[in-house]
Amino acid sequence: MSNLRGKRILLGVCGSIAAYKAVDLASKLTQADAEVDVIMTVAAQRFVSALTFQAATGRSVYSDLWTSGASGGLPSHIAHIGLAEAAGLFIIAPATANTLAKLAQGMADDMLTVSALAAACPLLLAPAMDGNMYEHPATQANLQTLQSRGAQLIPPESGRLASGLSGRGRLPETATLLGHCRRVLGLTGELAGKKVVVTAGGTREALDPVRYLSNRSSGKQGYAIAQAAIDAGARVVLISSAQHLPTPVGAQLVPVESAETMCRAALEHVLGAAALVMVAAVVDYRPRQVAQRKIKKTDSALRLELARTDDILLAVKAQRAASSYPNIVVGFAAESDNLLENARGKLRGKGLDLVVANDISAPDAGFAVDSNRVTVLDAHGGSQRIELSSKASIAASLIQRISSLLG
């Protein structure tokens, strides 16, 4: 989680049964190498102890304005100034209706609200409460006030609530909270304000209502690149046939199935884009005729007549010549033989700025696994070898390379 590493994050915890999820959030942020300082309200300590958060983060927990922190450092009646000045992000999760009301009115009567007033970093609010409380006009007005001042909102989810009722008011799971942290921290990144289009997954070409032709691409590398672009501040459009993967928070998902639907989506969304990263493994052939009913098994062999599918990168090349968009085009070459020779041919033939070549015959890299080893070739003859790494690490390296090309 590259844009969390080394960041100072303030985590405010209010009095809600959802406070138990904040413990997991504090732990996951710490595992991502963020420095997490937890501020608890008095009511929050009715649900979870300060010691639990201290164990999860390895750092002091703050709650009382008038006593010294557990570390024996500065008296906590002025510690809020140091905490607020050092923080790169202040997330309050869960944020109760009471705390939202106090923040909207500018009240500062405990450690959390005093720190919120002193903080100049982005404020991220994750409300959690009963559905009627969340929908109440007073709560909605307070949220609107806070958002008008620049606070970011993590919308609560719908489902069963602690009251036994169902409604909108559940604190999202940790993965969603982490995704919003990454999204907000990326707003000032090197790709801030730029549009990046990423394609992912293996396309599917229908044979009949039941069967299709496809390939082994899982979509994992494409989703990792989409997340890395969000970390860098980009507005990401993710064109994907791999809808089984969780969509990175902040990405606009465009679901597709076939090469034809992916091509149409790509040509539409690359207009005005800074970069297209074509990670998807597009099926090269489709059945010339699609059966309207399920093909029944017989004793004889089944013969299929296949036709070529759309070459998306060639279509983008033609559109780019007329519109100048996207500014940068990156392709992927998944090969089992003559890796670099075939990748260079793709780089030249399809007018790419970069091509990422990976050997799909390696059992520990490529399709369906979380690691990869690639060679990045550029249009000027340069070559960069990336040894076996996580797909997230490769994605971060590629986004950094794209950022450099964009200047």
Side-chain angles (χ1 to χ4, degrees):
M1 298 187 185
S2 57
N3 74 341
L4 291 173
R5 187 173 296 116
K7 293 293 192 302
R8 291 285 298 274
I9 296 178
L10 278 178
L11 171 59
V13 184
C14 302
S16 164
I17 185 60
Y20 76 92
K21 292 183 180 180
V23 177
D24 190 45
L25 175 61
S27 176
K28 293 297 193 300
L29 287 169
T30 302
Q31 291 174 47
D33 293 329
E35 296 182 0
V36 183
D37 291 306
V38 177
I39 302 175
M40 303 180 71
T41 65
V42 172
Q45 296 173 79
R46 297 276 188 171
F47 293 93
V48 181
S49 74
L51 182 60
T52 303
F53 283 102
Q54 189 172 343
T57 64
R59 297 173 66 84
S60 297
V61 175
Y62 299 86
S63 59
D64 193 331
L65 272 173
W66 309 110
T67 59
S68 298
S71 65
L74 292 173
S76 58
H77 78 282
I78 58 172
H80 66 279
I81 301 298
L83 290 172
E85 287 184 347
L89 174 68
F90 193 168
I91 175 172
I92 303 179
T96 59
N98 181 56
T99 294
L100 292 173
K102 291 200 291 184
L103 292 173
Q105 295 300 316
M107 296 177 64
D109 62 350
D110 61 11
M111 189 65 180
L112 192 153
T113 52
V114 166
S115 299
L117 277 184
C121 63
L123 176 62
L124 185 55
L125 302 171
M129 63 198 73
D130 184 75
N132 289 337
M133 294 174 67
Y134 181 74
E135 300 294 348
H136 194 283
T139 302
Q140 291 301 307
N142 289 331
L143 284 170
Q144 290 175 14
T145 296
L146 290 166
Q147 287 178 280
S148 72
R149 296 175 187 158
Q152 300 271 335
L153 177 66
I154 303 177
E157 296 178 351
S158 297
R160 188 181 186 279
L161 304 169
S163 63
L165 301 174
S166 292
R168 188 178 179 201
R170 287 175 59 88
L171 186 70
E173 299 302 318
T174 302
T176 300
L177 299 175
L178 281 171
H180 279 282
C181 289
R182 297 177 72 168
R183 175 185 63 81
V184 173
L185 285 170
L187 291 176
T188 56
E190 59 268 26
L191 293 181
K194 298 186 184 299
K195 180 182 178 183
V196 173
V197 180
V198 181
T199 67
T203 57
R204 295 185 284 274
E205 304 297 331
L207 175 60
D208 64 15
V210 177
R211 305 175 182 90
Y212 56 80
L213 301 181
S214 190
N215 55 55
R216 298 180 185 275
S217 175
S218 65
K220 289 183 176 181
Q221 185 67 79
Y223 276 61
I225 289 170
Q227 180 64 72
I230 293 167
D231 287 349
R235 295 185 294 110
V236 172
V237 178
L238 176 58
I239 303 171
S240 173
S241 61
Q243 283 108 56
H244 61 285
L245 297 174
T247 304
V249 173
Q252 175 190 347
L253 178 66
V254 180
V256 296
E257 285 278 339
S258 64
E260 181 183 2
T261 56
M262 181 171 281
C263 186
R264 287 203 305 265
L267 292 176
E268 174 188 349
H269 288 285
V270 296
L271 293 174
L276 166 66
V277 189
M278 188 74 191
V279 195
V282 181
V283 176
D284 294 322
Y285 293 92
R286 59 174 175 79
R288 188 174 293 279
Q289 296 292 331
V290 179
Q292 297 303 306
R293 305 183 71 83
K294 179 183 175 182
I295 299 172
K296 301 300 291 183
K297 181 171 62 177
T298 65
D299 292 335
S300 60
L302 176 66
R303 289 180 173 83
L304 295 177
E305 185 178 359
L306 302 179
R308 282 294 307 270
T309 57
D310 297 320
D311 191 313
I312 300 175
L313 282 174
L314 283 181
V316 169
K317 179 183 178 182
Q319 181 171 288
R320 186 187 187 192
S323 68
S324 299
Y325 289 109
N327 304 128
I328 300 294
V329 180
V330 180
F332 270 65
E335 304 287 347
S336 57
D337 301 289
N338 301 320
L339 176 66
L340 297 184
E341 180 183 345
N342 287 331
R344 288 192 182 98
K346 188 170 189 176
L347 178 73
R348 291 189 299 268
K350 301 192 178 181
L352 306 178
D353 298 281
L354 298 173
V355 67
V356 182
N358 65 299
D359 183 353
I360 59 172
S361 65
D364 55 354
F367 292 148
V369 295
D370 293 324
S371 56
N372 210 350
R373 62 166 62 82
V374 301
T375 301
V376 183
L377 306 176
D378 64 43
H380 303 290
S383 175
Q384 176 192 6
R385 173 76 173 172
I386 303 178
E387 296 300 336
L388 189 66
S389 308
S390 69
K391 288 183 174 178
S393 176
I394 288 172
S397 177
L398 184 59
I399 289 298
Q400 188 174 45
R401 185 76 178 270
I402 291 170
S403 177
S404 297
L405 288 175
L406 290 169

